[in-house]
Amino acid sequence: MSIPTAAAAEPVIRVAGLHKAYGETRAVDGVSFEVQAGTIFGLLGPNGAGKTTTVEVLEGLREPDRGEVRVLGVDAVRDPDRLKPRIGVSLQTAALYPKLTVVEVLDLFRGFYHLGGRSTDELISLMDLGEKRTTRTQNLSGGQRQRLSVALALVNDPELVFLDEPTTGMDPAARRALWDVVLGLRSAGRTVLLTTHYLEEAEVLCDRVAIMDHGHILEEGTVEELVSRRFKERAVRFDTIDGLPEERLARMPGVASVKHEDGDTLLYTRDVAGTIGAVLDAAEGLGVEPANLGVRRATLEDVFLDLTGRALRD
Ligand SMILES: Nc1ncnc2c1ncn2[C@@H]1O[C@H](COP(=O)(O)OP(=O)(O)O)[C@@H](O)[C@H]1O
Ligand SMILES: [Mg+2]
């Protein structure tokens, strides 16, 4: 007898061999990935990578040239109307009925669905739009508009939520508040696909990420996998200690290389605990304590730089 596992369940999203060109531009050029239920998946990449085009095909809003697209068990290309009631969509460039107020737009969207879902007040409070209830959407700031757009995506309490660059234009406080909303969706068993060009956001939120550039997925996996695939070492850093020679540092357990910069010593090591132990011993021998001792691992930003030869944001 076999026990069914989560991995054996049909994924919430399955994309295989997706292609979409606009004239000569191959916006999406052979994209495949899967998203499991109850997870947050991040599609990362610079402007023009093909993220929005991919997401719009998954939402049933745009027809691909070819490729298989199954979302919640539905063929998103043939049956988009079966899909739409079950998903939530926060579009990157949402048309928000400029003359209507926040409450009116939410009520309007709630009217598109039959029963259930979330109340307008609940959504206003969730997205912290209380002070803007009676403001026309044309007078909202970029960040407020984004928050409203996310609120609209949640009107029908969807199983799967698509958020296309949800925090662009938000200040840090609003960004963090949105992160809590996204994590709350996962806690409630929902699935989230978000696109972003903020790698820190992906590190905080995403169970798995795909890095996209020029219509291709370059890497896919957990952040930890992506980082450790490329960077085997972590950096142990501390304020440079006088009288601790380079040769001694280089012989510490696991240390692959030593770097000094701006008064910092950086030891790139495969044995963080062993290296820290040796640093503490050496410092004690000199009668000092290492100052500002810390460990830094490579980040998604380092992965992106290594993959593409450029930073994600200029
Ligand atoms: N409606 C469209 N018509 C023509 N070209 C488009 C259209 N939408 C996107 N593109 C082009 O397709 C490529 C991918 O765009 P997009 O999917 O919006 O990427 P991203 O969301 O990652 O910025 C870009 O080169 C963009 O200029
Ligand atoms: Mg986009």
Side-chain angles (χ1 to χ4, degrees):
M1 222 172 75
S2 71
I3 299 162
T5 61
E10 185 177 6
V12 166
I13 296 174
R14 193 171 72 226
V15 193
L18 183 65
H19 289 260
K20 174 71 185 178
Y22 304 105
E24 294 291 289
T25 308
R26 292 187 192 170
V28 179
D29 197 10
V31 157
S32 306
F33 63 90
E34 291 186 351
V35 179
Q36 303 298 327
T39 66
I40 303 172
F41 186 89
L43 206 48
L44 318 182
N47 279 334
K51 305 181 298 294
T52 294
T53 303
T54 302
V55 168
E56 286 177 353
V57 171
L58 296 174
E59 293 162 348
L61 298 176
R62 198 177 277 287
E63 221 171 296
D65 298 332
R66 59 198 150 94
E68 188 203 348
V69 187
R70 288 191 77 76
V71 178
L72 295 168
V74 174
D75 183 326
V77 181
R78 292 216 186 90
D79 269 337
D81 292 339
R82 277 180 56 207
L83 191 58
K84 282 170 191 163
R86 299 172 61 194
I87 63 174
V89 172
S90 164
L91 296 173
Q92 194 174 5
T93 48
L96 289 177
Y97 303 93
K99 300 288 181 201
L100 296 187
T101 67
V102 167
V103 167
E104 286 166 347
V105 174
L106 281 164
D107 284 342
L108 177 71
F109 271 61
R110 290 184 63 248
F112 294 161
Y113 299 94
H114 301 293
L115 291 166
R118 301 196 195 221
S119 73
T120 295
D121 282 343
E122 195 184 336
L123 291 163
I124 282 179
S125 136
L126 184 71
M127 295 314 296
D128 196 21
L129 286 163
E131 286 172 19
K132 300 288 160 189
R133 293 179 68 90
T134 54
T135 303
R136 288 183 175 185
T137 69
Q138 66 188 1
N139 296 325
L140 295 175
S141 73
Q144 289 158 355
R145 202 177 295 255
Q146 280 297 117
R147 267 141 63 195
L148 176 57
S149 168
V150 174
L152 294 172
L154 302 180
V155 155
N156 55 333
D157 197 10
E159 295 161 65
L160 168 63
V161 187
F162 293 96
L163 303 174
D164 197 357
E165 308 229 3
T167 61
T168 298
M170 283 188 185
D171 62 43
R175 178 167 297 154
R176 263 155 226 286
L178 181 78
W179 291 354
D180 285 340
V181 170
V182 173
L183 293 170
L185 289 168
R186 181 177 61 187
S187 303
R190 307 293 188 262
T191 308
V192 179
L193 188 154
L194 69 92
T195 76
T196 186
H197 57 257
Y198 297 110
L199 294 175
E200 186 205 351
E201 179 162 296
E203 288 184 344
V204 172
L205 293 180
C206 296
D207 298 299
R208 297 182 77 81
V209 298
I211 295 184
M212 207 173 167
D213 199 17
H214 300 303
H216 301 281
I217 288 179
L218 303 177
E219 290 263 355
E220 196 267 346
T222 66
V223 170
E224 182 61 36
E225 284 165 359
L226 263 55
V227 169
S228 62
R229 239 175 246 164
R230 239 145 247 285
F231 301 99
K232 302 294 177 211
E233 289 118 26
R234 292 182 181 216
V236 171
R237 66 152 309 289
F238 48 91
D239 293 0
T240 296
I241 299 172
D242 291 330
L244 198 52
E246 178 110 12
E247 310 82 67
R248 174 131 189 229
L249 294 168
R251 284 200 312 272
M252 287 177 173
V255 170
S257 64
V258 180
K259 205 159 95 184
H260 296 284
E261 59 180 36
D262 307 328
D264 287 355
T265 296
L266 289 158
L267 304 178
Y268 291 92
T269 181
R270 291 174 185 228
D271 178 3
V272 170
T275 299
I276 289 178
V279 169
L280 292 171
D281 285 348
E284 196 180 358
L286 293 166
V288 297
E289 292 227 342
N292 299 314
L293 183 64
V295 180
R296 178 187 175 274
R297 65 159 199 186
T299 63
L300 267 185
E301 192 80 48
D302 300 317
V303 172
F304 190 82
L305 195 65
D306 197 51
L307 272 172
T308 67
R310 58 185 206 280
L312 184 46
R313 275 174 294 160
D314 305 311

